[in-house]
Amino acid sequence: MTAITAEKAIDRRSFESLGHANHGWLDARHHFSFANYYDPARMGWGAIRVWNDDVIAPNAGFPPHPHADMEIITYVRTGAITHQDSMGNVGRTAAGDVQVMSAGSGVRHAEYNLESEPTTLFQIWIEPRSRGGQPSWGAKPFPKGERSGKFVTLASGFDEDGDTLRIRADARVLGATLRAGESLEHSVGEGRHAYLVPATGRIEIDGVPFAARDGAALLGGRTVTITAIEDAEIVLVDSE
């Protein structure tokens, strides 16, 4: 985990500094150590273990492979992803929408771009609050208009968040869209960890500039002000 002093409570990870792997059908950037990319200073952020920025070519994707004891959230930015798993679930998640999979005691799944255009997405892994349990999958559309100028909870492990996609972690996945010049605040609780990425547009966080697809690691115990320099779409995970 990156060490951040109180004087530097916002750590900017530029898109250019991220881990990079281009497999032809998959062009991936890694905010944290993943697969063949290893950076001891970027092993995770609290319970957040993976944040991959993937571009998947048309009619390509991830063949069936196993997972266990991880909450896996997919936020589709453009195009669509089609999911299949060993529980018998099949679903297509389109741009702006979210799917979650609790791997639990073990599951196999595949993710394919069956569209005629590239699909871009964020895949986020969060450690669950406990190991094991029955695996599960779910998806939900989130019209962007509902999150205009404010954060909307896309997935949550907290009962008080009601009708949202459920994950088995003490975490929330939030989304917002901001018009140029608009601002919003987010309070990161004491001892918690937040990670924010603008999917599109340039923003500032307490005056620190971020370009699209840069990452921001935020320490707990403070409230930050996020201001859009351009129209922006933002994804934020607030976790242990």
Side-chain angles (χ1 to χ4, degrees):
M1 182 186 301
T2 303
I4 301 181
T5 65
E7 291 75 23
K8 190 187 178 188
I10 302 172
D11 185 33
R12 175 177 175 268
R13 286 100 181 269
S14 70
F15 180 76
E16 293 74 18
S17 75
L18 304 180
H20 186 209
N22 192 336
H23 304 283
W25 65 272
L26 171 67
D27 190 359
R29 298 277 178 167
H30 309 305
H31 285 261
F32 305 110
S33 295
F34 185 83
N36 293 327
Y37 166 61
Y38 174 73
D39 182 342
R42 295 184 178 180
M43 296 303 295
W45 187 238
I48 305 166
R49 283 292 170 261
V50 170
W51 191 308
N52 288 345
D53 181 328
D54 291 343
V55 182
I56 305 170
N59 299 304
F62 301 91
H65 58 282
H67 290 286
D69 296 319
M70 194 64 67
E71 303 300 295
I72 299 174
I73 300 100
T74 303
Y75 180 95
V76 182
R77 292 161 34 222
T78 63
I81 199 76
T82 297
H83 169 95
Q84 303 171 17
D85 65 40
S86 55
M87 297 174 284
N89 296 305
V90 178
R92 178 180 178 273
T93 304
D97 299 340
V98 179
Q99 69 171 16
V100 301
M101 186 175 73
S102 295
S105 59
V107 66
R108 291 179 63 83
H109 76 128
E111 307 289 340
Y112 294 111
N113 173 17
L114 302 180
E115 314 302 312
S116 60
E117 62 181 352
T119 287
T120 64
L121 55 82
F122 293 144
Q123 189 177 91
I124 300 161
W125 296 9
I126 305 173
E127 289 186 342
R129 63 171 65 92
S130 60
R131 298 171 64 86
Q134 185 72 21
S136 65
W137 174 84
K140 189 172 183 179
F142 286 95
K144 288 185 173 62
E146 293 182 3
R147 53 185 111 145
S148 179
K150 63 181 181 181
F151 277 120
V152 170
T153 302
L154 307 177
S156 174
F158 298 102
D159 291 341
E160 61 263 31
D161 289 331
D163 185 25
T164 187
L165 288 168
R166 303 297 295 169
I167 55 177
R168 302 171 190 172
D170 292 329
R172 290 183 176 91
V173 181
L174 308 172
T177 57
L178 292 177
R179 295 189 180 277
E182 286 186 330
S183 296
L184 55 72
E185 292 185 342
H186 179 74
S187 295
V188 188
E190 195 70 45
R192 293 184 63 80
H193 302 78
Y195 199 83
L196 180 155
V197 181
T200 60
R202 293 186 299 120
I203 65 170
E204 289 183 350
I205 305 174
D206 287 354
V208 179
F210 291 82
R213 299 163 75 186
D214 289 351
L218 310 176
L219 273 179
R222 61 177 293 162
T223 297
V224 296
T225 300
I226 302 152
T227 302
I229 307 306
E230 303 169 343
D231 290 357
E233 179 180 348
I234 297 164
V235 181
L236 182 150
V237 174
D238 189 312
S239 185
E240 288 185 295

